[in-house]
Amino acid sequence: MNSLLSPYPKKYNMKQVKEYVNANKQRFIDELIELLSIPSVSADPAYKKDVARTAEWVKKSLLDAGVDKAEVIPTAFHPIVYGEKIIDKKLPTVMVYGHYDVQPPDPLDLWTSPPFKPVIKNGKIYARGACDDKGQMYMHVKAFELMMRNKMLPCNVKFLIEGEEEVGSESLGVFVKKNKAKLQSDVILISDTDIIANDIPSINVGLRGLSYVQVEVTGPNRDLHSGVYGGAVPNPINILCEMIASLKDKDGHITIPGFYKDVNKVSDKDRKELARAPFSLKEYKKDLGIDDVIGEKGYTTPERTSIRPTLDVNGIWGGYTGEGSKTVIASKAYAKISMRLVPNQSPDKTIALFTKHFTKIAPKSVKVKVIPFHGGDPLLLDTKFVGYAAAEKAMITSFGKKPIPVRGGGSIPIVALFKKELKTDSILFGFGLNSDNIHSPNESYGIFNYLKGIETISLFHQYYAEMRKKK
Ligand code: BES
Ligand code: MN
Ligand code: MN
């Protein structure tokens, strides 16, 4: 590239970056508020049009920020947004992945302000999706705008922003498999995770996998009077509760035969390393309003949410749940159950083990159906490549501290698929906080985190391009 003609100078200018963020801060916030006002709930088909509208909004924001081309790609369910800026084929390419869909906002009565009417309070933006993932995804669009406007973009950038992450990324999986050349890149950059605290930066180097099922237990062929029949016919709700209770023993171990068979043992050395991340059990309990924690014997609370698999009921229903009382024995009872997986467990295999066991433990008096939902592979990320070094250096520069590598408890199913299909490593460059209440009422995202993220992302691009050149 002829540097005299090139609009992209070689030197990154920190002062210029800070000035640009500061001068455009209000606009960055206003734009995010606009994005957060569209209810892009992917799980509920009633919001399909809003989801589509959000995709168009994201596409336009990419074009405004300076991509060469951007498109909204329809899928079997929700659209994917793709955009790219290729400045020089010889330069490395960073692919940004994020999601514009959000979790359902309910229970609505627990929000202090409406989920899709963003408000700013105590230095945070409150809205569904503020942190997960609209706020974090949009940091990349604004960091890109910053690099374009200040002629600082040091590499090619691709954007892959989907609308189905919160429901399992099925359509994106299909798209990735069919578009490997289009999605070719040197590193994938994702902000959809958290840091330990605003003065303790960290980088997620692992994600748990997921198996998700819905179970249905059927007793009598119709709802019955609980006095006329109670005591003699199988009550599917009682039975479902017993079955669920039996899935863990008194030490918090999951009782499904073979469940732990493929679990990679984490070495004592690695456990020690992971235990370096600061954690206060007292604060943890206080924050959640609980007097005690529970979990698998022999593991600490941070270990229980990162290196160990688990099983949780996410919802349970049946019978009468309306106002007052109704005396009834239901015909059916249901539950939604998630199992978080760790390397080297397989979601399909786990669902098969669950189904076999759950069917087996059902008493003869009821019938059981297990419906599998979406899943995702667990993963550990590579920390010994240029991408991680650049991410680490970017955080050192912007936070003044070396980020601590931690293993996250959540799942982002597409990340394992990126590695498998595209052979590309990802960096989980998240800036959220545990206190942001993702998936809960009153989700928020700190303005500090939003602006800090934009700055740190621009640093990542610079360091990554520099380090790649040296290699
Ligand atoms: N951003 C989260 C995942 C996350 C959050 C990872 C915090 C690590 C730390 C993502 O949007 C999410 O919620 N994923 C779902 C996966 C799913 C519905 C298939 C999850 O983990 O429940
Ligand atoms: Mn997310
Ligand atoms: Mn989420």
Side-chain angles (χ1 to χ4, degrees):
M1 201 169 39
N2 184 335
S3 63
L4 276 177
L5 293 176
S6 165
Y8 313 103
K10 299 220 158 49
K11 261 275 131 304
Y12 182 91
N13 185 331
M14 191 70 195
K15 192 168 157 266
Q16 204 178 330
V17 168
K18 283 194 185 291
E19 276 171 11
Y20 188 83
V21 171
N22 209 28
N24 293 282
K25 166 165 115 184
Q26 194 54 49
R27 179 174 57 83
F28 288 176
I29 295 167
D30 292 343
E31 288 172 11
L32 178 56
I33 286 178
E34 202 180 303
L35 173 60
L36 290 168
S37 306
I38 321 176
S40 50
V41 179
S42 53
D44 186 346
Y47 292 91
K48 207 161 190 291
K49 279 206 177 115
D50 295 303
V51 175
R53 198 148 59 87
T54 313
E56 292 296 339
W57 194 99
V58 172
K59 173 190 159 183
K60 183 170 182 298
S61 78
L62 288 173
L63 289 169
D64 291 347
V67 294
D68 296 325
K69 59 173 189 200
E71 49 186 328
V72 168
I73 302 155
T75 74
F77 197 18
H78 296 308
I80 295 163
V81 184
Y82 177 81
E84 63 178 35
K85 176 81 197 172
I86 307 296
I87 56 173
D88 183 342
K89 288 226 163 73
K90 289 192 284 299
L91 287 172
T93 301
V94 174
M95 184 159 83
V96 172
Y97 162 78
H99 63 96
Y100 67 81
D101 65 319
V102 301
Q103 284 277 326
D106 55 276
L108 284 173
D109 52 326
L110 294 183
W111 285 78
T112 53
S113 56
F116 299 109
K117 290 207 164 60
V119 293
I120 297 178
K121 258 187 311 189
N122 319 317
K124 297 187 221 174
I125 305 181
Y126 285 82
R128 170 57 86 231
C131 171
D132 185 12
D133 180 41
K134 284 173 169 169
Q136 296 212 66
M137 176 273 287
Y138 202 60
M139 297 185 309
H140 288 267
V141 183
K142 294 299 99 177
F144 173 70
E145 174 203 300
L146 177 160
M147 293 185 282
M148 286 299 293
R149 301 271 165 88
N150 292 281
K151 307 195 185 318
M152 276 179 190
L153 187 69
C155 57
N156 305 311
V157 182
K158 294 179 176 176
F159 286 92
L160 184 64
I161 315 293
E162 69 154 319
E164 276 180 38
E165 196 278 339
E166 299 292 9
V167 290
S169 303
E170 223 169 279
S171 301
L172 184 62
V174 174
F175 182 77
V176 168
K177 284 180 196 161
K178 280 194 196 148
N179 291 274
K180 291 188 191 175
K182 183 185 181 108
L183 301 178
Q184 189 280 322
S185 72
D186 297 282
V187 66
I188 300 171
L189 192 61
I190 305 169
S191 296
D192 195 21
T193 49
D194 42 25
I195 49 174
I196 296 171
N198 282 349
D199 57 352
I200 313 173
S202 57
I203 298 180
N204 267 241
V205 296
L207 288 170
R208 287 199 283 189
L210 182 69
S211 290
Y212 201 106
V213 294
Q214 179 168 318
V215 297
E216 182 188 304
V217 176
T218 307
N221 60 6
R222 58 186 188 279
D223 285 15
L224 303 171
H225 189 289
S226 68
V228 176
Y229 290 96
V233 300
N235 179 327
I237 303 176
N238 290 4
I239 290 170
L240 175 60
C241 289
E242 280 169 36
M243 289 169 72
I244 288 170
S246 79
L247 294 176
K248 282 186 189 173
D249 68 16
K250 62 174 192 342
D251 291 332
H253 290 116
I254 293 155
T255 56
I256 300 169
F259 185 86
Y260 294 99
K261 193 175 152 268
D262 295 333
V263 170
N264 282 354
K265 201 174 161 351
V266 179
S267 71
D268 288 345
K269 186 172 157 269
D270 285 352
R271 284 176 77 179
K272 243 190 221 137
E273 185 65 28
L274 290 166
R276 281 180 43 221
F279 175 78
S280 156
L281 188 58
K282 204 173 145 209
E283 294 281 320
Y284 189 80
K285 290 193 285 194
K286 191 171 154 236
D287 173 47
L288 300 175
I290 51 176
D291 292 330
D292 207 356
V293 291
I294 58 101
E296 195 182 357
K297 200 174 161 185
Y299 294 94
T300 64
T301 294
E303 285 176 338
R304 288 168 179 165
T305 58
S306 62
I307 61 167
R308 296 299 293 168
T310 191
L311 179 151
D312 275 289
V313 178
N314 293 244
I316 181 163
W317 70 102
Y320 183 69
T321 56
E323 285 290 310
S325 65
K326 176 188 178 193
T327 47
V328 64
I329 292 174
S331 167
K332 285 177 190 291
Y334 306 84
K336 291 187 191 280
I337 298 173
S338 68
M339 286 160 277
R340 297 284 169 172
L341 313 178
V342 299
N344 200 33
Q345 287 178 294
S346 133
D348 290 344
K349 218 163 143 185
T350 305
I351 287 200
L353 291 173
F354 177 94
T355 308
K356 188 171 168 213
H357 179 66
F358 206 71
T359 315
K360 196 171 149 219
I361 60 172
K364 210 174 111 197
S365 57
V366 297
K367 290 174 198 71
V368 165
K369 215 175 13 191
V370 178
I371 305 158
F373 283 3
H374 53 75
D377 284 315
L379 80 136
L380 267 184
L381 293 168
D382 190 1
T383 55
K384 295 192 170 45
F385 78 114
V386 191
Y388 191 83
E392 197 173 62
K393 191 171 173 194
M395 279 198 165
I396 293 172
T397 303
S398 72
F399 286 87
K401 273 183 199 167
K402 189 171 164 173
I404 301 171
V406 297
R407 283 171 63 167
S411 314
I412 309 174
I414 205 69
V415 184
L417 197 114
F418 283 151
K419 178 72 184 174
K420 193 169 152 220
E421 298 294 333
L422 304 174
K423 315 272 181 262
T424 312
D425 290 303
S426 296
I427 298 291
L428 296 173
F429 213 37
F431 295 87
L433 293 174
N434 262 344
S435 53
D436 288 340
N437 290 331
I438 64 170
H439 295 206
S440 305
N442 306 309
E443 178 175 351
S444 66
Y445 192 42
I447 307 271
F448 167 86
N449 304 68
Y450 181 52
L451 301 175
K452 194 71 159 180
I454 295 171
E455 182 188 314
T456 315
I457 287 165
S458 74
L459 279 164
F460 171 87
H461 284 77
Q462 179 60 23
Y463 291 147
Y464 184 70
E466 274 172 17
M467 287 175 173
R468 281 289 305 249
K469 217 181 285 166
K470 274 186 207 128
K471 215 181 65 171

